[in-house]
Amino acid sequence: MFKAALISTLTLMSVTVWRTVQAEDLGVREIGAFECNSKTAFSVAVDSTERLVATGGGDNQITLWDLLSSRQLRQWKPSDAAVIDMVFKPDSHAIASVSYPRQLTLYDTRADKQLWTTECLTAPTRVAFSRDGTRIAVGSSYGKATVYDAKTGKLLFQARHPSPSSNAVGFSADGRWLYLAGNPKHNQTGPSVIVRCDAMTGEVEGIVGNHTTPITRIALSPGGSRLVTIDRTGICRIWDQKTNRLIQSWNLELANANNFQFADPETVIVGGRGQLAIVRVGNDSPTFVDSAGGVNHVSVLPRRGVILSAVGKTLRTFRFDKSKINAHAIAIPRSEAKSPKENDVALDPSDNQPPDGIRFDGLMSSEMLSQLIGQPLAIKLKSGRFIVKVQLDELQFDRKQNGLKFIKYRSDTGRTSTVKVSDLFCFWVRERRFD
């Protein structure tokens, strides 16, 4: 049995107010699992028919599977080192893969033969095909991105961006642009940029945007209108490819969140340590599904409504109902009108007599107020600053004015502080908003 948590996130620093939703309510359920590698699987690739699945990893081999029957079809060894990443050629049975120390290989799964192999300039970390299948881009944490001819394996060019490394790469849908991550040197921290290069020459055309830490993955939506990036700390961002505008950003706070895939132009599924995160444009609230282990790679089969998750040596399969996910993945909600329950006070805003002598967010009873104490609290001040990751400690009222005057809160370390209500724009206690 696995669980899902809906996280309502304000994207400033690390703002998180959450509530839990059952996985069944989200339409996400596991439908199967099998051992796909003798050692840890680092990469999963799916062909355009969503029938063939390839897995590769620490056993130095790639294995081809029939997804519907979980039957092994082929197995080959591109090199004597671990398979780091791989991808199917669009509308083809050929697979491009990269392995340490510098190997790039193209293999025809239908003919069951290796077409060519070549040595990369630096150790590869990511591989991507152009949409027409004529070019292969290779990213590296140790050097600049490179592009190869898919027919011969010949090096065409090295991208001319000034950044020391570019471990994430992706082609635009029209084949005009190559997107890559401009990162610091390997294992160094620091800001990174999303670079757009001419896909035919490698010349830099411009900068799309940036992250404060190294970018680990880049992908484009099926139609090519959206670009998604994720960095080492779990910040996930979606950009408009035409205008370079940042559409939305989420702080997933998800360890090892270095792989993801679009389910559709609006929905992205991210894999991390112990969880899958599902984010959707227009919603502040990712959906988290327990994956019972570190997710090394995620592949999405949108037509089948299936998520493939490589966890250790196992390939796990989840069925998802996108309409249910979208219904639950909503922003931090305002207070909703509810039918009075047996122990609730029926409140009528038109009645200006405050229950128990207290006026608060419309009208609330003192019993209802006391239930808020000790709950997770998030505050937005009129200055725009947020106060987060604290608990409500006390509500202090002005009896003469018959209203709330101060909010006292407690941090994780036990320190208490007080804020004036007159300085507030709004605040949340769990999922309920007060203005």
Side-chain angles (χ1 to χ4, degrees):
M1 183 61 67
F2 56 95
K3 301 177 180 178
L6 187 67
I7 310 294
S8 295
T9 306
L10 302 170
T11 48
L12 179 66
M13 297 299 288
S14 182
V15 185
T16 305
V17 180
W18 60 272
R19 58 194 175 102
T20 301
V21 179
Q22 293 300 314
E24 290 78 5
D25 294 334
L26 299 171
V28 180
R29 59 189 178 89
E30 186 171 4
I31 58 175
F34 63 91
E35 187 173 301
C36 61
N37 278 63
S38 59
K39 294 184 179 180
T40 300
F42 296 140
S43 183
V44 177
V46 181
D47 80 330
S48 58
T49 68
E50 298 187 353
R51 176 70 183 263
L52 299 178
V53 178
T55 61
D59 59 2
N60 307 344
Q61 300 185 108
I62 296 177
T63 306
L64 186 68
W65 306 88
D66 182 303
L67 180 62
L68 300 185
S69 65
S70 301
R71 183 168 60 92
Q72 181 177 314
L73 303 176
R74 296 271 191 278
Q75 190 173 70
W76 67 96
K77 193 174 182 180
S79 72
D80 293 328
V83 178
I84 304 304
D85 197 25
M86 60 184 170
V87 62
F88 271 94
K89 183 178 179 180
D91 301 319
S92 169
H93 291 85
I95 293 178
S97 63
V98 289
S99 306
Y100 284 150
R102 297 187 178 186
Q103 206 76 17
L104 170 63
T105 300
L106 186 66
Y107 194 91
D108 187 331
T109 62
R110 178 168 287 177
D112 195 17
K113 69 175 183 179
Q114 184 168 289
L115 300 179
W116 52 259
T117 184
T118 190
E119 186 173 294
C120 302
L121 297 183
T122 57
T125 52
R126 297 284 184 260
V127 61
F129 262 107
S130 60
R131 297 296 174 93
D132 62 3
T134 61
R135 298 187 169 215
I136 301 173
V138 175
S140 173
S141 295
Y142 300 87
K144 301 181 187 301
T146 47
V147 174
Y148 299 82
D149 183 282
K151 186 175 182 180
T152 64
K154 179 183 176 181
L155 174 66
L156 298 176
F157 62 81
Q158 185 178 44
R160 292 172 172 81
H161 62 94
S163 303
S165 68
S166 53
N167 65 313
V169 291
F171 285 97
S172 62
D174 59 8
R176 183 181 178 186
W177 306 114
L178 171 67
Y179 291 91
L180 55 90
N183 286 340
K185 291 182 179 179
H186 179 64
N187 285 336
Q188 291 188 4
T189 59
S192 58
V193 293
I194 306 156
V195 183
R196 182 163 64 187
C197 298
D198 187 304
M200 303 302 291
T201 65
E203 294 289 345
V204 175
E205 186 273 343
I207 303 297
V208 175
N210 59 67
H211 282 251
T212 57
T213 60
I215 297 168
T216 58
R217 199 84 172 188
I218 288 178
L220 283 93
S221 62
S225 61
R226 301 285 170 82
L227 177 75
V228 62
T229 56
I230 198 164
D231 65 27
R232 191 177 293 172
T233 62
I235 301 293
C236 180
R237 291 176 174 166
I238 291 185
W239 313 79
D240 184 287
Q241 185 199 321
K242 291 184 179 179
T243 65
N244 295 346
R245 179 177 63 89
L246 175 62
I247 298 173
Q248 195 157 357
S249 179
W250 299 268
N251 185 352
L252 300 180
E253 297 185 338
L254 189 62
N256 292 351
N258 60 4
N259 64 95
F260 53 75
Q261 192 170 338
F262 277 95
D264 62 38
E266 306 293 317
T267 308
V268 177
I269 299 177
V270 184
R273 181 177 295 167
Q275 288 181 317
L276 295 172
I278 305 172
V279 298
R280 182 168 174 81
V281 172
N283 299 328
D284 293 327
S285 309
T287 301
F288 285 82
V289 179
D290 181 15
S291 65
V295 178
N296 298 315
H297 199 99
V298 169
S299 287
V300 181
L301 288 64
R303 294 196 300 274
R304 296 186 186 274
V306 168
I307 305 168
L308 301 179
S309 171
V311 181
K313 299 185 292 184
T314 303
L315 186 66
R316 303 182 68 189
T317 308
F318 296 88
R319 181 80 68 187
F320 70 96
D321 186 330
K322 189 170 63 178
S323 63
K324 290 185 178 180
I325 290 173
N326 295 343
H328 280 279
I330 56 177
I332 298 176
R334 292 179 178 270
S335 303
E336 300 174 352
K338 300 178 182 179
S339 301
K341 298 180 181 179
E342 181 178 352
N343 296 323
D344 285 347
V345 177
L347 306 178
D348 184 356
S350 64
D351 181 1
N352 204 30
Q353 299 301 315
D356 299 328
I358 294 176
R359 185 188 307 279
F360 185 77
D361 187 40
L363 301 173
M364 291 187 70
S365 69
S366 58
E367 180 182 356
M368 294 172 69
L369 287 172
S370 65
Q371 295 175 0
L372 301 177
I373 305 301
Q375 300 297 320
L377 173 71
I379 298 172
K380 181 178 181 180
L381 301 176
K382 290 179 180 178
S383 65
R385 188 170 69 92
F386 286 92
I387 300 172
V388 299
K389 289 191 174 181
V390 295
Q391 292 182 341
L392 180 59
D393 187 70
E394 185 180 358
L395 298 168
Q396 299 176 4
F397 295 89
D398 184 340
R399 299 297 177 178
K400 292 182 180 180
Q401 296 295 323
N402 193 29
L404 181 64
K405 191 172 183 180
F406 298 98
I407 293 178
K408 187 177 181 181
Y409 58 90
R410 185 182 300 275
S411 69
D412 292 339
T413 61
R415 180 180 177 183
T416 58
S417 301
T418 302
V419 62
K420 290 182 179 179
V421 170
S422 59
D423 293 335
L424 300 183
F425 176 77
C426 65
F427 66 98
W428 295 263
V429 181
R430 279 200 177 274
E431 71 269 22
R432 184 162 186 170
R433 173 169 172 160
F434 300 91
D435 294 293

